[in-house]
């Protein structure tokens, strides 16, 4: 119930803000309205308590008083332009891997209806077979992007290539397959036919309707890089001018006199162009990565084409086992080049779209900055870094702190500097001045994070009380929400969650956990790839499975007798052999006595009564 109530409350706030902005002539996206609600709630000047959920009274304050609406309809606010730029970039920018996955998903969704028409069709006549064959050719053209379906010559070429590898006679066996196998065969046919058409185009035997994607990319990539670099140079120039203007207005006694723009707006404009510069750097890196990928794919494409040309040469017939893998590889590389073309087009569109979010202050007369910068030298970022490169921190002088002095620019790039490399000291002490730190002075490691500074004095001052400076940066970001993304401070504002991502029982704001102990361990291989799921070590389990496979419940056991087996049976007995037993006594002894010698005389020989005489001739024992 609490979760549903929180969703209704926050959703109602955003809808009311959107309606109010629409009434004032501004079409505000729901994401932008949600971000502004969070920004206003975080701002301590608004008087909201971050430690509790929003109430009905808070909702009325956000909508009726106009805390959010006034900021969303302010067309002259550089801070609003920066927030719009950040929201647009977050919603539309994706990594190369995510873009590839999304591109494949869209392509499959687009081809699903055509594939369904092919797999669900029933062939009853010769006309139906020819219509199905043409439908498969249409599927190949749409999936591979070989050309327009309205170009007769391209259609004929695709039909001829399809006929060579998949004649009408094969349709019967194709229709006998199940749906999954049919879809797989369609994909394989698409790759083979695409490879054949590309090979024919390279051989000068057609392909006039096929776009020369490699040539288009070779022309578009340098043009896109040049456009972004030109845009980046203009943005850097504006950033240097606004930096100098903010410094001039921050000098004691300046007070903004004679400046047609408020100093706060000048700082907001500086943040705007710095954010635009950061986004352009990301897009430029993606375009350069795209150029490297295209170069690699074109090299592989040329190598594969030359290999295929050497195999075919002037032969009239070639085994399919030799050429089909090359046709498939050509088609895969071709699809990769087309994907890079779409990615490059998307990046170019984002560059043009980001230009619309650039602050409008630079469109005013040049006197806007000339008044402030009169007699002042505008320094570039390189000039500022060069001025302070000779003043370095000696790490050996600081025993309680860890300092790094990179020897090369590559070493400093490996360190993930906080605040996008900006000097924290300048942001706090110079009233929000955004200047890049110089890693050559020294990089401070504090709580496993790295900080760079614009001067040695700034480095020493920050090192004396780093936690206090970090807290002041977070407080400044609460008042200027565009700094949250510009300085990458999202980890300090994890307590704010969008209404669309709320979990059950949570409100819009949740108290942050400032400290936590955590540990993790990553195994080399989480899931072994060589595990046989069907392996069983238990013999009785194997017997049980064998019985299940045999399904003996539906079988009949039969037996037969023969003359040899009649009245016979297998019999076995088991006996126990006698045991060997022995005993042992405590003492062994023996004795030797004379053998008894007793003789009887007079038993025979005389008639008459027997007169027996007994004679004992036994020797005495003691003899």
């Amino acid at each position: 119930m609490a979760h549903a109530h929180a969703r209704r409350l926050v959703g109602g706030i955003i809808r009311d803000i959107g309606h109010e902005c629409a009434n004032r002539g501004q079409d505000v996206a729901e994401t932008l309205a949600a971000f502004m609600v969070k920004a206003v709630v975080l701002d301590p000047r608004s008087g909201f308590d971050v430690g509790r959920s929003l109430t009905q009274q808070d909702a009325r304050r956000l909508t009726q008083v106009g805390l959010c609406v006034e900021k969303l309809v302010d067309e002259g606010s550089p801070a609003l332009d920066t927030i719009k730029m950040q929201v647009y970039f977050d919603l539309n920018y994706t990594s190369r891997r995510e873009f590839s996955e999304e591109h494949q998903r869209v392509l499959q969704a687009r081809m699903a209806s055509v594939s369904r028409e092919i797999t669900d069709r029933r062939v009853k006549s010769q006309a139906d077979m020819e219509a199905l064959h043409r439908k498969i050719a249409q599927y190949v053209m749409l999936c591979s992007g070989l050309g327009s379906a309205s170009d007769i010559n391209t259609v004929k070429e695709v039909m001829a290539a399809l006929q060579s590898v998949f004649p009408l006679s094969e349709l019967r066996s194709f229709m006998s397959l199940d749906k999954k196998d049919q879809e797989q065969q369609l994909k394989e046919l698409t790759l083979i036919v695409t490879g054949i058409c590309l090979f024919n185009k390279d051989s000068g035997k057609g392909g006039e309707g096929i776009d020369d994607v490699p040539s288009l990319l070779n022309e578009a990539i340098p043009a896109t890089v040049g456009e972004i670099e030109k845009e980046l140079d203009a943005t850097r120039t504006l950033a240097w001018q606004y930096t100098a203007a903010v410094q001039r207005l921050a000098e004691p006694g300046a007070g903004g006199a004679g400046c047609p723009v408020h100093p706060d707006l000048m700082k907001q404009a500086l943040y705007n162009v710095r954010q635009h510069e950061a986004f352009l750097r990301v897009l430029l890196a993606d375009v350069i990565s795209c150029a490297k990928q295209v170069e690699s794919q074109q090299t592989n494409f040329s190598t594969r084409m030359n290999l295929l040309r050497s195999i075919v040469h002037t032969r009239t017939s070639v085994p399919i086992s030799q050429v089909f893998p090359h046709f498939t590889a050509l088609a895969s590389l071709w699809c990769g080049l087309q994907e890079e073309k779409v990615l490059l087009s998307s990046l170019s569109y984002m560059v043009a779209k980001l230009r619309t979010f650039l602050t409008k202050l630079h469109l005013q007369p040049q006197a806007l900055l000339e008044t402030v910068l009169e007699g002042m030298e505008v320094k570039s970022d390189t000039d500022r870094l060069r001025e302070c490169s000779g003043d370095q921190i000696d790490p050996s002088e600081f025993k309680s702190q860890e300092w790094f002095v990179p020897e090369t620019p590559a070493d400093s790039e490996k360190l993930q500097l906080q605040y996008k490399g900006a000097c924290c000291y300048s942001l706090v002490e110079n009233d929000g001045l955004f200047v890049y730190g110089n890693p050559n002075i020294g990089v401070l490691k504090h709580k496993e994070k790295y900080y760079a500074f614009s001067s040695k004095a700034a480095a020493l001052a920050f090192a004396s009380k780093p936690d206090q400076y970090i807290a002041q940066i977070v407080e400044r970001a609460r008042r200027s929400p565009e700094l949250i993304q510009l300085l990458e401070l999202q980890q300090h504002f994890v307590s704010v969650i969008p209404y669309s991502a709320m979990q059950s029982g949570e409100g819009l704001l949740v108290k942050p956990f400032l400290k936590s102990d955590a540990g993790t361990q990553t195994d080399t291989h989480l899931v072994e790839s060589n595990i046989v799921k069907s392996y069983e070590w238990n013999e009785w389990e194997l017997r049980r499975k064998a019985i299940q496979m045999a399904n003996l419940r539906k079988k009949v056991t039969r037996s037969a007798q023969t003359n040899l087996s009649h009245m016979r049976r297998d019999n076995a007995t088991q006996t126990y052999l006698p045991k060997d037993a022995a005993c042992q006594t405590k003492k062994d002894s023996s004795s030797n006595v004379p053998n008894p010698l007793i003789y009887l005389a007079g038993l025979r020989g005389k008639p008459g009564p027997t007169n027996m005489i007994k004679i004992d001739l036994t020797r005495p024992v003691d003899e």
Side-chain angles (χ1 to χ4, degrees):
M1 294 297 293
H3 172 60
H5 175 71
R7 288 184 62 89
R8 287 195 300 270
L9 179 61
V10 178
I13 294 173
I14 295 174
R15 284 193 300 271
D16 292 342
I17 292 175
H19 292 328
E20 184 63 26
C21 292
N23 294 336
R24 300 193 183 190
Q26 292 287 340
D27 187 13
V28 176
E30 182 177 314
T31 307
L32 179 59
F35 183 88
M36 188 58 67
V37 170
K38 293 186 292 184
V40 170
V41 173
L42 284 174
D43 193 342
R45 294 171 296 185
S46 301
F48 290 95
D49 186 3
V50 184
R52 61 175 176 81
S53 300
L54 291 177
T55 63
Q56 292 289 349
Q57 182 181 359
D58 297 334
R60 287 192 296 270
R61 289 180 58 196
L62 288 170
T63 55
Q64 296 177 3
V65 178
L67 292 176
C68 297
V69 176
E70 294 297 335
K71 294 184 177 182
L72 288 171
V73 299
D74 188 2
E75 297 183 357
S77 173
L80 179 61
D81 293 333
T82 306
I83 293 174
K84 289 181 179 179
M85 185 192 308
Q86 294 169 347
V87 171
Y88 170 79
F89 194 84
D90 287 342
L91 292 179
N92 294 274
Y93 177 78
T94 57
S95 62
R96 289 182 57 87
R97 180 182 61 81
E98 293 173 344
F99 178 84
S100 178
E101 294 175 355
E102 180 66 17
H103 179 73
Q104 294 298 327
R105 187 190 64 79
V106 172
L107 183 60
Q108 292 177 4
R110 186 177 64 182
M111 300 303 302
S113 59
V114 184
S115 175
R116 196 179 305 112
E117 292 181 13
I118 296 174
T119 56
D120 295 345
R121 180 168 294 190
R122 296 294 177 263
V123 177
K124 298 181 180 179
S125 62
Q126 184 67 21
D128 294 339
M129 293 180 63
E130 294 177 356
L132 179 59
H133 202 261
R134 289 192 298 271
K135 199 68 177 179
I136 294 177
Q138 179 186 357
Y139 175 89
V140 172
M141 292 186 63
L142 292 176
C143 192
S144 61
L146 290 174
S148 174
S150 60
D151 189 351
I152 302 300
N153 294 329
T154 304
V155 174
K156 289 182 179 180
E157 291 174 7
V158 174
M159 288 290 296
L162 180 62
Q163 180 68 25
S164 65
V165 297
F166 189 72
L168 285 172
S169 58
E170 298 291 335
L171 279 177
R172 294 292 182 183
S173 58
F174 174 79
M175 298 304 297
S176 64
L177 302 175
D178 57 17
K179 185 173 182 179
K180 186 175 181 180
D181 293 337
Q182 288 179 351
E183 293 176 351
Q184 181 63 28
Q185 188 167 352
L186 282 176
K187 295 178 181 179
E188 295 175 356
L189 283 174
T190 300
L191 294 176
I192 295 174
V193 173
T194 303
I196 294 175
C197 293
L198 293 173
F199 179 74
N200 292 338
K201 176 180 175 63
D202 183 77
S203 302
K205 299 179 181 179
E208 290 79 6
I210 301 176
D211 295 334
D212 192 357
V213 177
S215 299
L216 294 175
L217 287 172
N218 292 336
E219 296 176 0
I221 289 176
T224 305
V225 172
E227 178 187 358
I228 297 178
E229 289 180 345
K230 181 180 178 180
E231 191 90 15
L232 195 56
D233 291 339
T235 301
R236 288 197 191 104
T237 303
L238 281 175
W240 301 337
Q241 293 176 349
Y242 284 127
T243 302
V246 171
Q247 283 184 309
R248 169 60 63 86
L249 296 176
E251 292 177 356
C259 180
V261 179
H262 194 275
D264 290 340
L265 290 180
M266 197 72 73
K267 283 185 294 186
Q268 294 176 12
L270 173 60
Y271 300 154
N272 179 269
V273 293
R274 285 300 188 185
Q275 184 65 82
H276 188 244
E277 177 189 2
F279 287 155
L280 288 179
R281 289 178 184 272
V282 174
L283 297 179
L284 180 60
D286 286 347
V287 174
I288 294 175
S289 176
C290 179
K292 295 179 181 179
Q293 187 71 16
V294 168
E295 182 181 1
S296 174
Q297 290 181 351
Q298 287 183 356
T299 302
N300 294 335
F301 188 87
S302 301
T303 303
R304 185 71 65 170
M305 187 67 75
N306 293 333
L307 182 60
L308 185 59
R309 194 183 300 113
S310 63
I311 293 175
V312 176
H313 199 47
T314 58
R315 300 165 63 181
T316 57
S317 62
V318 184
I320 60 175
S321 60
Q322 295 183 13
V323 295
F324 275 17
H326 297 292
F327 288 146
T328 303
L330 279 179
S332 300
L333 292 171
W334 176 262
C335 294
L337 290 174
Q338 288 182 322
E339 187 174 310
E340 295 297 329
K341 178 184 174 183
V342 177
L343 174 60
L344 187 64
S345 176
S346 175
L347 295 175
S348 300
Y349 177 79
M350 288 192 66
V351 172
K353 189 67 176 178
L354 288 176
R355 191 181 303 119
T356 62
F357 299 112
L358 201 59
T359 177
K360 307 302 187 295
L361 288 182
H362 71 283
L363 300 179
Q364 298 183 11
Q366 188 65 22
L368 172 67
L369 292 175
E370 291 179 354
T371 304
V372 182
L373 300 177
E374 183 177 0
M376 184 177 183
E377 179 186 1
V378 177
K379 300 178 182 179
S380 65
D381 293 336
T382 305
D383 295 336
R384 295 178 183 275
L385 296 179
R386 189 184 302 114
E387 288 180 352
C388 56
S389 295
D391 200 5
Q392 293 184 348
I393 295 289
D394 187 2
S396 61
E397 297 179 358
F398 301 89
K399 303 300 183 182
S400 60
Q401 295 173 335
E402 194 171 358
W403 290 85
F404 298 93
V405 180
E407 297 180 358
T408 62
D411 295 336
S412 60
E413 292 177 358
K414 295 178 182 179
L415 300 176
Q416 297 294 330
L417 300 178
Q418 295 297 302
Y419 312 129
K420 286 288 187 66
C423 178
C424 176
Y425 178 86
S426 297
L427 287 167
V428 174
E429 299 297 339
N430 296 333
D431 195 21
L433 177 63
F434 186 103
V435 292
Y436 285 110
N438 188 354
N440 294 327
I441 295 175
V443 177
L444 174 64
K445 182 179 180 182
H446 176 67
K447 295 182 178 179
E448 303 303 323
K449 296 179 181 180
Y450 301 93
Y451 301 87
F453 310 96
S454 58
S455 64
K456 183 177 181 180
L460 297 177
F462 179 89
S464 62
K465 43 184 178 180
D467 293 329
Q468 181 177 342
Y469 278 100
I470 294 173
Q472 292 181 19
I473 288 291
V474 175
E475 185 65 23
R476 179 169 292 276
R478 293 179 183 275
R479 299 174 182 270
S480 300
E482 67 271 20
L483 291 177
I484 296 177
Q485 183 165 346
L486 177 60
L487 303 179
E488 294 183 343
L489 298 174
Q490 291 87 346
Q491 70 275 11
H492 296 284
F493 297 93
V494 294
S495 58
V496 182
I497 56 175
Y499 73 98
S500 58
M502 286 191 306
Q503 302 296 326
S504 177
E506 292 182 345
L508 178 67
L509 300 177
V510 183
K511 265 193 174 182
F513 295 96
L514 300 180
K515 294 182 179 180
S516 64
D517 293 332
T520 182
Q521 181 178 358
T522 303
D523 294 333
T524 305
H525 300 288
L526 297 179
V527 179
E528 291 289 346
S529 59
N530 58 350
I531 294 178
V532 180
K533 301 296 183 180
S534 60
Y535 173 77
E536 184 61 56
W537 64 270
N538 193 337
E539 178 184 356
W540 293 101
E541 182 64 20
L542 292 173
R543 293 184 180 185
R544 186 183 67 81
K545 291 182 178 180
I547 293 174
Q548 289 180 347
M549 295 174 63
N551 198 6
L552 297 180
R553 293 175 298 175
K554 297 183 180 180
K555 301 295 185 294
V556 178
T557 303
R558 299 181 181 277
S559 62
Q561 252 186 0
T562 63
N563 291 331
L564 295 178
S565 65
H566 178 60
M567 294 297 293
R568 295 183 180 182
R569 62 177 180 145
D570 292 336
N571 195 11
T573 60
Q574 183 176 3
T575 61
Y576 292 90
L577 297 177
K579 296 188 298 181
D580 294 332
C583 62
Q584 183 177 5
T585 58
K586 187 176 182 181
K587 180 178 180 182
D588 291 335
S589 61
S590 62
S591 61
N592 190 8
V593 297
N595 292 331
L597 297 177
I598 299 174
Y599 295 92
L600 298 178
L603 295 179
R604 60 182 180 178
K606 291 182 180 183
T610 300
N611 186 12
M612 182 185 68
I613 300 172
K614 182 177 180 181
I615 301 173
D616 187 4
L617 298 178
T618 302
R619 299 175 63 181
V621 176
D622 55 350
E623 184 179 7

